[in-house]
Amino acid sequence: MYITNLTLPIVSQSGSLSMKVPSVHKDPDHFITGWVSQPNTRGTIDILWSCLVTTFLCTWTVLCLNVPAASDSQWVILRRRIRWMLHAIAGPEFVLGFAAGQYETAHKAVADFKEMGHPEWTMRHAFFADMGGFMLYPQASKPFPVNNKHIQWLVTNKYLEFPQVQAIDIWDKSKADRLIKSLVCLQICWLIINVLARAIQHLAITTLELATVSIVFCTIATFFCWLHKPADVKTPIQLHCRFSTAQILTEAGDVAKKPYRMTPLDFVDNLGPSWSANVMAFASIRSGPQQRPLPRFTNDRFPHVRKIRQFLLVTITLFSDGIHIFGWNFEFPSRAEQIVWRAASLVMFLTAAVFWGAEILAGLHRDNVWQLLRTIIFRPSQLKDLRKMRAERPPRPQPTPETFPLPIECGASATMWILYLIARAYTLVEMFVGLRRLPRSAFVCVEWVNLFPHFS
């Protein structure tokens, strides 16, 4: 017999949602013959599965952590990766900031090596060096990792031959699977398109989906920042030096007399400022590797991003936090939850805006931009002399735990981050708790046919 417009209840007895199965032929053996369309509804498990899988895949595959120490076990490496994955979930802007800083440093290193007459030093070389991919073995001395600045100084002062390492050899050490990353990007695009389509068709979007979009939005930017960085490298490339560490420090002169904190080449680059070396040291909390010289580079060096890349970083992080504000008029299980969500969304956005505003102003102050502006406006005749002074001024001293962070700077930043983390924690909890009571349209799937022009 023929069955037409078969309706199946799927939600509740009162006003239940239903799905319609198109006309199909049913034979006497209780089999259905013909094409059966997918139901136009979804369940809570579908929402959970889609968001959780996308979040896990994004935050796990995006990570490109630095080379571990030789003494690190597989369990230590796994714990470190899980910890950074949780960072990417709880605060995706933080991971993006570190990635952007590494990109900026690598980009500058490529330009510096090109000026030295080594245009073959690529972004892959630069990322590999700054992640601890090169281990220096001085004569009769303890080995330690060296980054781009260290290698430049050693090569310039004839302590080390320029590393003859091909980019393909570096990439061969990477465990990155581009197919998997491509599939993850497709999953991200599907989630974003689905959420946008639901908004176009005025279907309810859950706070879980909204928060997931915020996470994956930052993840996409992090993917691009780490596009040239090798992933899951376990062993560094050895660089052998025929000079001892003591000889290098002695010949470097007075700049190298001060005891080092990280590596013997601290007078070239002390690897700061970073969370473990500066902030945690300021709070007298032990963090990061305790051996000296460092057996590996930590992953938490603060970013120093300038100009257009700083503008892009600020824009992306503010938009990522601002995505939560789109849930302003969402239907919540209770009025109180809606109010707290609104407050938390504003707190996350405003604390990020204040932080970046303070960072930009501090950078302008350190670069004496205010003095330059005053000269341009009020004393233009002295502009030439001022530019000459700025060009001849000595480089800014490297930050140390005594000079960074300042107590007032640490207090202000801590206040903002505590407010941010409290607001972030609420959104992470509410996006699951809010699933207990949702509008009916939250369970209706997108009608994709209606999104595109067509003849009917």
Side-chain angles (χ1 to χ4, degrees), residues 430-450:
E430 176 59 32
M431 67 186 191
F432 291 104
V433 174
L435 294 177
R436 74 186 189 275
R437 186 171 182 270
L438 292 172
R440 292 176 185 172
S441 64
F443 299 103
V444 179
C445 292
V446 173
E447 293 288 348
W448 294 104
V449 175
N450 297 333

Side-chain angles (χ1 to χ4, degrees), residues 337-352:
E337 289 173 71
Q338 184 185 53
I339 294 174
V340 178
W341 178 275
R342 291 176 175 179
S345 302
L346 289 176
V347 168
M348 285 193 296
F349 181 81
L350 292 176
T351 52

Side-chain angles (χ1 to χ4, degrees), residues 146-267:
V146 287
N147 64 11
N148 285 289
K149 289 185 178 180
H150 297 152
I151 295 174
Q152 291 169 20
W153 187 87
L154 292 168
V155 171
T156 301
N157 290 277
K158 311 298 182 184
Y159 291 112
L160 184 69
E161 294 291 333
F162 178 76
Q164 299 297 327
V165 180
Q166 301 297 320
I168 192 172
D169 296 327
I170 292 176
W171 205 245
D172 188 57
K173 297 176 74 67
S174 175
K175 309 299 188 300
D177 190 323
R178 293 201 169 185
L179 175 60
I180 293 178
K181 288 196 173 185
S182 298
L183 294 175
V184 172
C185 287
L186 289 176
Q187 177 67 20
I188 291 174
C189 292
W190 165 252
L191 176 72
I192 294 176
I193 292 172
N194 188 60
V195 171
L196 290 176
R198 297 188 68 82
I200 292 172
Q201 295 189 0
H202 305 288
L203 299 175
I205 301 169
T206 65
T207 53
L208 177 59
E209 291 171 307
L210 195 66
T212 304
V213 170
S214 173
I215 293 172
V216 301
F217 183 78
C218 269
T219 302
I220 293 174
T222 306
F223 265 122
F224 280 103
C225 290
W226 276 340
L227 190 62
H228 298 287
K229 185 177 180 180
D232 298 330
V233 178
K234 296 297 188 296
T235 56
I237 294 176
Q238 298 181 4
L239 301 178
H240 292 276
C241 176
R242 57 188 178 87
F243 299 90
S244 67
T245 300
Q247 185 177 356
I248 294 174
L249 296 179
T250 300
E251 294 179 359
D254 293 339
V255 294
K257 286 185 176 180
K258 188 177 180 180
Y260 67 84
R261 294 178 179 272
M262 300 298 170
T263 73
L265 296 180
D266 274 1
F267 63 95

Side-chain angles (χ1 to χ4, degrees), residues 120-134:
E120 65 272 27
W121 195 263
T122 65
M123 288 292 287
R124 288 183 182 176
H125 289 88
F127 268 118
F128 190 69
D130 281 342
M131 67 186 292
F134 292 105

Side-chain angles (χ1 to χ4, degrees), residues 106-119:
H107 188 270
K108 185 178 185 305
V110 171
D112 292 341
F113 271 104
K114 188 175 182 179
E115 289 183 3
M116 292 172 56
H118 296 288

Side-chain angles (χ1 to χ4, degrees), residues 292-353:
R292 294 296 182 268
L294 282 178
R296 65 175 180 88
F297 291 154
T298 59
N299 297 280
D300 55 4
R301 188 170 187 177
F302 290 135
H304 183 66
V305 187
R306 306 300 301 274
K307 299 180 181 178
I308 184 64
R309 283 181 284 273
Q310 184 184 45
F311 172 77
L312 290 174
L313 177 61
V314 172
T315 302
I316 292 171
T317 54
L318 289 180
F319 184 78
S320 176
D321 287 324
I323 286 176
H324 297 85
I325 300 178
F326 286 102
W328 191 273
N329 290 320
F330 279 14
E331 294 185 46
F332 287 80
S334 67
R335 175 63 175 169
E337 289 173 71
Q338 184 185 53
I339 294 174
V340 178
W341 178 275
R342 291 176 175 179
S345 302
L346 289 176
V347 168
M348 285 193 296
F349 181 81
L350 292 176
T351 52

